[in-house]
Amino acid sequence: MNRRYLLGTLPLLAAAPVLAQQLPAIRTLSVTPGAGGTNVTGSLADTKARGLYYVPGQAGQTMNVSVASPGNTVVFQVWEPGTGVRTNADGTLALNGKPMRDAGPSEEPAAWIGALPKTGPYLLIVYSRREAASYTLTVSVTGS
């Protein structure tokens, strides 16, 4: 009886990995305050692809982020420390946190400067609005 039960669950267990989508790697950028910034190059395969980066920041510092891409199709978002990120079954990101003012999902900036309200890793999400694209992301932090 136990054997039949176990065999009956195998198709369900085998289907589980198909439903789950792997979260893209989140890379931590090393940004030295006042040192002129860090440049990162990357590419996005399509409009569903995301580049994810953590940038350490201290409350009271100012962060400057910009992204350059052919055709200016790549934009980004900046999220406060503590933002939870996971992948939905369809591969889209699900975020649980607070976007930075003027750098959230409805703004889609290509350049942003903002004061950091908290200490911790800020999440940057880079994506293309129209097509596959390459990009250069520039991040700097100033202040104490």
Side-chain angles (χ1 to χ4, degrees), residues 30-121:
S30 177
V31 180
T32 304
T38 297
N39 292 321
V40 178
T41 59
S43 62
L44 302 164
D46 55 34
T47 58
K48 292 183 181 181
R50 299 290 185 261
L52 303 176
Y53 303 93
Y54 281 130
V55 178
Q58 301 284 325
Q61 290 180 323
T62 299
M63 185 183 293
N64 186 337
V65 182
S66 64
V67 66
S69 63
N72 298 317
T73 62
V74 177
V75 293
F76 62 86
Q77 298 172 17
V78 181
W79 291 74
E80 286 190 4
T83 296
V85 58
R86 64 178 175 80
T87 305
N88 291 320
D90 65 357
T92 59
L93 291 182
L95 301 164
N96 182 15
K98 184 176 178 184
M100 293 294 292
R101 187 169 189 249
D102 298 326
S106 60
E107 290 87 16
E108 296 186 321
W112 175 82
I113 298 173
L116 304 183
K118 297 180 179 180
T119 296

Side-chain angles (χ1 to χ4, degrees), residues 11-30:
L12 293 175
L13 293 174
V18 174
L19 298 176
Q21 296 288 326
Q22 186 173 351
L23 183 65
I26 303 176
R27 187 171 157 195
T28 299
L29 301 181
S30 177

